Amino acid sequence: MIPADVPVTIDRDDARRMAAEELAKPEYRAAEPSWFQRALSWLAHRVGELFSAISGVVPGGTLGLLVLLAVVVLVIVVVRLRVGKVARTVRGSREVFEARPRAAAEYRRAAEEAFAAGDIVAAVRERFRALVRGLEERGVLDTRSGRTADEAARDAGARLPAAREELVVAANLFDAVHYGGRPATAEDYARLAALDERVRRERPGVLA
């Protein structure tokens, strides 16, 4: 046993070892924050730094940043609602005829009148219906309700292989304009009208 009056000298290594032994005791380790708490603390610190940095360059400081964030959130919500609405519409019914079909000549007349009035969307819609109805009248397509534009293009393309690709393009145009809300152009209508005239002259082959 070392007498109490004898001075004890502890060097640096001994001090480090004694400190490590003390901190290794269970009561100290139980008081340490968990890895999850440390991670949350680190994330909160980084977000705070980012928030402070952005607020320093945005006009109005913190208030300006909050307004900017609110505008961004509003834009995201509006875009998602708009895209979701269009997507739901396009995924819904794509029937060519929503009511009892009329004669192809009536659809063509309605299309020309709409085009003359500047309503290109209606002109495209009615011209595609004229095309499909004309194919039904000629027997290229069987007459049935509920046919979609894609089905009309596929079935007609089997009988008119030379026009197959143009029929698919026309069906996609009809869906995009009538069901998807896409603007139509005069060039769209001219191409569709030319296809309508072309398939009226083509002789169908054997049904594939």
Side-chain angles (χ1 to χ4, degrees):
M1 180 176 179
I2 302 174
D5 57 347
V6 177
V8 179
T9 302
I10 301 177
D11 60 18
R12 184 188 308 170
D13 293 336
D14 290 335
R16 185 183 298 112
R17 177 178 54 78
M18 293 174 65
E21 291 175 353
E22 181 68 19
L23 293 176
K25 291 181 179 180
E27 54 268 27
Y28 288 104
R29 297 187 62 83
E32 290 181 353
S34 66
W35 66 268
F36 184 71
Q37 292 173 321
R38 291 195 299 270
L40 287 180
S41 178
W42 178 87
L43 181 60
H45 183 67
R46 292 296 177 271
V47 171
E49 290 181 344
L50 178 62
F51 190 86
S52 298
I54 296 177
S55 62
V57 298
V58 174
T62 303
L63 179 60
L65 178 60
L66 293 176
V67 173
L68 179 61
L69 290 176
V71 172
V72 171
V73 171
L74 178 62
V75 171
I76 293 174
V77 171
V78 171
V79 170
R80 286 185 60 85
L81 288 176
R82 176 60 181 168
V83 172
K85 179 181 179 181
V86 172
R88 288 191 297 271
T89 302
V90 172
R91 285 194 298 267
S93 173
R94 296 185 182 183
E95 296 180 8
V96 176
F97 305 109
E98 298 172 343
R100 184 176 179 180
R102 296 176 289 167
E106 293 183 53
Y107 285 120
R108 291 190 184 97
R109 182 166 55 252
E112 292 295 334
E113 291 174 354
F115 183 77
D119 190 352
I120 312 301
V121 169
V124 166
R125 179 184 65 240
E126 299 305 307
R127 193 68 188 221
F128 183 80
R129 287 173 173 170
L131 186 156
V132 175
R133 186 59 178 151
L135 292 172
E136 291 179 346
E137 291 174 350
R138 293 175 56 205
V140 178
L141 293 175
D142 62 303
T143 302
R144 60 183 172 88
S145 61
R147 175 182 277 121
T148 66
D150 291 339
E151 292 171 340
R154 181 196 62 206
D155 296 343
R159 299 290 305 276
L160 304 171
R164 181 182 292 117
E165 292 184 4
E166 282 294 314
L167 287 167
V168 171
V169 171
N172 291 336
L173 174 64
F174 174 81
D175 282 340
V177 170
H178 182 51
Y179 287 111
R182 202 208 84 178
T185 65
E187 290 75 14
D188 291 331
Y189 179 74
R191 184 175 183 179
L192 185 56
L195 176 62
D196 182 29
E197 295 299 325
R198 175 184 172 185
V199 299
R200 292 172 68 184
R201 297 189 302 268
E202 289 205 14
R203 182 177 179 179
V206 179
L207 181 64

